[in-house]
């Protein structure tokens, strides 16, 4: 390890506690676009990252070329053993949840999710639809590096937080449930909390009992379930077809 890499390692270790790992060009790009406080950027090829930015995201190319620290590929693999193929990673400060305010788009609630990649995909969908927040209950950390990887860094485009059943925001709770009303004919208000359970068990009886409305996604007989992110995407699309606040 050369002196430059020793210095980068010290900076990385100092920044790592509590920081958000951004793995790959797209994660870094999205974090920058949505105001993340970037603490350190490391790449194996600064010129290649700038060329990629010139092709896909000219708005961040100058920043990356100016701030990225170039290191060897073995050094990067020691920092992030499963780093993506673009050869760029970064650390960002984890933002504080925003204070409660009048919502102009639904909140997505994932009850006790288990799959890190699925949660990341939900955050990515939520960012695209401009939802107010993605909230999770249970043990899974919604800011886990694998979740952030799945979201392509779009955690910074919305509020992402872990809550308890006692600390949900105000608003009508719409629970996705096979016994509910057809999603295609359901009006979803802008301040709705859209609650999704696990693919195997659905939502808990306690959360189901708190529902203001049960909503079902049409599904062919003998098919057990949809993927979590697919269910969230279909529900948010239904909201977007009736709300003036949905992205266009």
């Amino acid at each position: 390890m050369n002196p430059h890499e020793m210095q980068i390692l010290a900076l990385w270790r100092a920044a790592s506690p509590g920081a958000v790992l951004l793995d790959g060009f797209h994660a870094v790009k999205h974090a920058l676009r949505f105001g993340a406080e970037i603490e350190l950027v490391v790449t194996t090829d600064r010129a290649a990252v700038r060329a990629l930015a010139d092709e896909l995201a000219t708005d961040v190319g100058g920043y990356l070329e100016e701030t990225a620290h170039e290191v060897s590929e073995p050094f990067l693999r020691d920092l992030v053993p499963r780093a993506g193929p673009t050869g760029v990673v970064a650390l960002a400060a984890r933002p504080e949840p925003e204070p409660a305010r009048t919502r102009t788009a639904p909140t997505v609630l994932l009850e006790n999710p288990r799959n890190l990649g699925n949660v990341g995909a939900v955050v990515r969908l939520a960012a695209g639809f401009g939802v107010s927040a993605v909230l999770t209950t249970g043990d899974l950390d919604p800011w886990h590096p694998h979740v952030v990887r799945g979201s392509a860094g779009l955690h910074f485009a919305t509020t992402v937080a872990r809550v308890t059943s006692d600390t949900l925001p105000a608003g009508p709770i719409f629970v996705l449930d096979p016994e509910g009303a057809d999603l295609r004919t359901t009006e979803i208000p802008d301040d709705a909390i859209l609650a999704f359970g696990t693919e195997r068990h659905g939502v808990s009886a306690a959360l189901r009992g708190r529902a203001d409305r049960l909503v079902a996604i049409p599904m062919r007989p003998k098919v057990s379930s949809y993927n979590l992110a697919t269910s969230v995407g279909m529900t948010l699309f239904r909201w977007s077809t009736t709300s003036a606040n949905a992205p266009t």
Side-chain angles (χ1 to χ4, degrees), residues 13 40 120 145 154 163 170 210 212 220 227:
R13 288 175 172 171
L40 186 64
L154 283 163
V163 298
R210 294 176 61 181
D212 295 282
R220 181 182 180 184
N227 174 271

Side-chain angles (χ1 to χ4, degrees), residues 1 4-16 40 75:
M1 187 184 303
H4 171 69
E5 290 180 343
M6 291 178 64
Q7 181 183 21
I8 300 306
L9 180 60
L11 292 172
W12 185 274
R13 288 175 172 171
S16 289
L40 186 64
F75 178 83

